Amino acid sequence: MSDSIGRREFVRSTLAGATGVALGMSGCDREPQDLSTRPGYTRRAAEQTGPVREISLVAAPGEVEIAPRGVYRKWLYNGQFPGPEIRLKEGERLRVRIENRLPEGTTIHWHGVPVPNAMDGVPGVTQELIRPNETFVYDFIADPAGSYVYHTHAGLQIDRGLIAPLIVEEKKPHVDYDREYTLILDDFLSGEPQPLSRSGGGMGGMMGLQVPPYAGLLINGRLPESPAVFETRRGQRVRLRLLNPSGATTYRVAIAGHQMTVAYADGRPVEPRTIDSLYIGMGERYDVIVEANNPGAWTITAATVEGNSPPAQAALLYKDAAQSRPPSGAAPEGLQGGRTLELSDLKALGTTDIGAPDRIFDLTLSGGMMNPAWTINGQAYPKADPLEIYEGERIRARMINRSMMIHPMHLHGHFFRVGDALKDTVIVPPHMGRVTFDFLADNPGDWFFHCHNIYHMESGMARIVRYK
Ligand code: C2O
Ligand code: CU
């Protein structure tokens, strides 16, 4: 297909004044494209895969201690909260047998991994719910390397605790480091998750912000009073994998006494960029390198952007430090000022240009205030049209956020190009924020595309991207 201006103008003019889903051209004038030239990521051929890793998970209710607050009944993978980290090497094949001992149906989604469609874990879209006392086997190649999460994709179950890290180690990292830690940023509900639409009143409701009644914010399942401690020693380079599988919290993260060098965005390697703080939305992941050059005990803080829970905290502790805990109440300077990571700072290693789009969707994100639904172009999923595409097309999505809340928009099954980065989840800022992403349609199936705030997703802010 040619990339002539005329063609693009045609696409644009069909969109002018369009409401609902804007469709570009019909499929008949396409040419097949060489999908092996996809920038930044090429799907591994079956013969290139490594050994098979067999994992068994049981999803069941259980009790966890959230110190010092008490013991709570949550829904857990293998009795753990957060769930057990699955860690494997690039190219290994993962076979996970999940047994459902919950009182309702569930699924697992391998967030960010471009799995074959049938392994994607979206109930009613790629599989039926795994019913109580049933089992299901997920089987896919762990590729490419990166920091991912796995989580339930049924209803509001994420806020019951069914979240966990999935780490795929690369053979040759583009940055050096001496040790690494995984940090799971989460929000903690002491009761059962409920849809927010009916409770949307009060001041928060008037501001257009609907935030669940969280009892606190956690790093690795721990409240600030009893923080996770990450040890280091002077001169080390520490890789922190920051993962946000929370239900409804965008965090701003900073470390007292230290800068962070962002080296991966949503698992994809980027040119290292040193900053003082970063925002991380639900579904996003950032890997940062911290140079341990300032001995002591320091706070790692993750402060909510939209709610009013006190920040989640962990500790970066140097061996031989005089104190064993950071002084309480010490907020990192990076939350006050300094340099905050911006989308335009992210540059994927290698080229990401996929050329001019063949098909463009204009997507308006709305909701909040008096409106119980969260919508894309006025439609609330499941009463919403699929976004129809053809294999081999280059797709562009232009999003605008006409609401007062942050929407971290996540596309299943693909990485997209946003600015110069490759990501799978991107924050669309409130108050008319605009974000455009492009992707190559190289993984056929029905793919969920949605806001990763689970309350927004469940109230309609979702679509299916459908290969015709
Ligand atoms: Cu973690 Cu449909 O997403
Ligand atoms: Cu949202």
Side-chain angles (χ1 to χ4, degrees), residues 49-54 88 91-95 139-142:
T49 59
V52 181
R53 289 283 304 280
E54 309 265 359
L88 55 172
E92 280 188 309
R93 180 165 152 199
L94 181 60
R95 278 171 58 88
D139 185 344
F140 58 90
I141 297 161

Side-chain angles (χ1 to χ4, degrees), residues 177-181 229-240 255-256 258 289-298 300 315-321 323:
Y177 54 94
D178 301 296
R179 64 197 310 169
E180 64 161 275
Y181 294 107
V229 175
F230 304 109
E231 289 186 350
T232 186
R233 55 180 78 214
R234 181 182 210 136
Q236 283 189 325
R237 289 164 60 86
V238 186
R239 176 176 182 171
L240 303 180
I255 305 175
H258 297 76
I289 305 289
V290 177
E291 305 253 10
N293 53 13
N294 194 3
W298 302 96
I300 302 173
L316 180 66
L317 180 66
Y318 285 68
K319 211 169 163 40
D320 304 324
Q323 331 83 293

Side-chain angles (χ1 to χ4, degrees), residues 272-283:
R273 179 75 67 184
T274 300
I275 44 93
D276 298 290
S277 74
L278 58 82
Y279 290 95
I280 180 166
M282 297 129 262

Side-chain angles (χ1 to χ4, degrees), residues 79 90 103 220 313 364 401 407 418:
E90 191 176 349
N220 292 359
Q313 291 189 347
T364 299
N401 181 353
H407 302 300
V418 55

